[in-house]
């Protein structure tokens, strides 16, 4: 980060389902961000439709089931539809309530998140579902970066392409309050939703400390 000016650079990221704290620390540090929804579909990229949270037992992963694309070789993530299998939206919301119902800020933000965890969500394309959740997280975390969803990447200045992952050392993990830290210790690399429900508006201050 010391060799570039985030204010003059374009950050390119892969799409994420309730992305990690590190993901949002980077979004927060750049003025302009493109989330590339036109990336080639790769079923190994689980984080595109899987979020990592914490509950009473520790780490818990929530996976949005997706429909198999017509062409495995030619499909883009923008082509991927969400499956209605197993009423997953209900299971995800109940897990979030169980995991974060006693955190300081869950009750303040629940009404923002809950409408997306209904049966209607199964009718969204995956990228639209991710975009809506991303918009909520950025708004509540007070992130003011310009974020565009699409496959076109054009910028007159430097481009920082992190579609293949975040390099070691680019983001520093900063411990923050977690409601079950006495039982589990601090759990890093969780969804930004974990920080938001535990820290509320103070999340913005922590994000600033994570990228130097």
């Amino acid at each position: 980060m010391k060799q570039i000016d985030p204010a003059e650079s374009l950050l390119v990221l892969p799409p994420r389902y309730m992305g990690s704290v590190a993901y949002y620390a980077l979004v927060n540090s750049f003025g302009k961000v493109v989330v590339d929804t036109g990336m080639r579909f790769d079923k190994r990229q689980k984080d595109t439709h899987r979020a990592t949270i914490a509950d009473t037992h520790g780490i818990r992963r929530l996976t949005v089931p997706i429909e198999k694309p017509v062409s495995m070789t030619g499909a883009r993530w923008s082509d991927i539809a969400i499956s209605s299998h197993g009423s997953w939206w209900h299971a995800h919301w109940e897990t979030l309530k169980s995991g974060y119902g006693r955190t300081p800020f869950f009750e303040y933000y629940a009404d923002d998140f809950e409408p997306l965890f209904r049966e209607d969500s199964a009718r969204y394309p995956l990228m639209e579902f991710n975009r809506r959740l991303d918009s909520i997280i950025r708004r509540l975390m007070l992130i003011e970066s310009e974020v565009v969803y699409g496959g076109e990447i054009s910028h007159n200045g430097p481009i920082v392409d992190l579609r293949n992952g975040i390099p070691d050392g680019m983001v520093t993990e900063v411990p923050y309050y977690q409601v079950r830290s006495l039982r589990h210790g601090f759990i890093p690399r969780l969804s930004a939703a974990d920080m938001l429900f535990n820290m509320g508006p103070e999340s913005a201050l922590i994000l600033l400390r994570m990228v130097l």
Side-chain angles (χ1 to χ4, degrees):
M1 295 296 291
K2 295 181 180 180
Q3 299 178 353
I4 61 172
D5 181 358
E8 301 295 329
S9 303
L10 175 70
L11 175 65
V12 185
L13 290 171
R16 288 290 182 259
Y17 168 45
M18 290 197 296
S20 69
V21 172
Y23 184 92
Y24 281 96
L26 286 168
V27 172
N28 185 59
S29 68
F30 281 77
K32 295 182 178 180
V33 181
V34 169
V35 177
D36 186 3
T37 60
M39 293 176 64
R40 189 176 298 278
F41 171 73
D42 185 343
K43 64 180 181 179
R44 295 170 296 181
Q45 299 297 322
K46 301 296 185 182
D47 288 345
T48 310
H49 59 109
R50 182 180 67 187
T52 304
I53 65 166
D55 65 8
T56 55
H57 302 291
I59 292 176
R60 181 75 176 268
R61 291 181 173 85
L62 302 175
T63 302
V64 176
I66 57 177
E67 299 285 356
K68 183 178 179 179
V70 175
S71 170
M72 293 293 288
T73 57
R76 305 286 175 174
W77 278 109
S78 55
D79 301 322
I80 302 303
I82 296 176
S83 171
S84 59
H85 178 72
S87 299
W88 61 267
W89 53 88
H90 176 73
H92 283 209
W93 184 242
E94 291 301 313
T95 301
L96 287 168
K97 287 197 297 183
S98 174
Y100 296 111
R102 295 187 178 182
T103 56
F105 294 94
F106 183 81
E107 64 176 303
Y108 294 101
Y109 300 144
D111 288 345
D112 292 280
F113 284 88
E114 191 273 336
L116 279 178
F117 292 93
R118 297 175 183 172
E119 187 174 359
D120 286 348
S121 295
R123 301 189 180 98
Y124 295 145
L126 176 63
M127 293 300 95
E128 176 63 12
F129 180 65
N130 284 359
R131 186 194 66 78
R132 292 184 182 214
L133 273 170
D134 171 53
S135 178
I136 291 169
I137 291 172
R138 285 188 285 112
R139 173 169 56 82
L140 297 178
M141 282 189 155
L142 309 179
I143 295 174
E144 298 181 351
S145 307
E146 178 186 343
V147 178
V148 176
Y149 273 63
E152 182 177 345
I153 300 168
S154 177
H155 187 60
N156 292 329
I159 295 176
V160 180
D161 189 343
L162 300 184
R163 285 174 290 186
N164 292 322
I166 301 172
D168 292 341
M170 193 170 193
V171 179
T172 300
E173 196 74 50
V174 175
Y176 56 89
Y177 170 79
Q178 292 174 334
V179 71
R180 297 186 182 87
S181 59
L182 290 179
R183 178 185 300 180
H184 300 300
F186 175 72
I187 303 177
R189 295 182 290 278
L190 296 179
S191 165
D194 181 88
M195 177 186 284
L196 189 60
F197 294 142
N198 280 291
M199 297 298 297
E202 289 187 42
S203 299
L205 301 176
I206 300 170
L207 295 179
L208 287 172
R209 295 167 55 195
M210 293 178 67
V211 181
L212 302 178

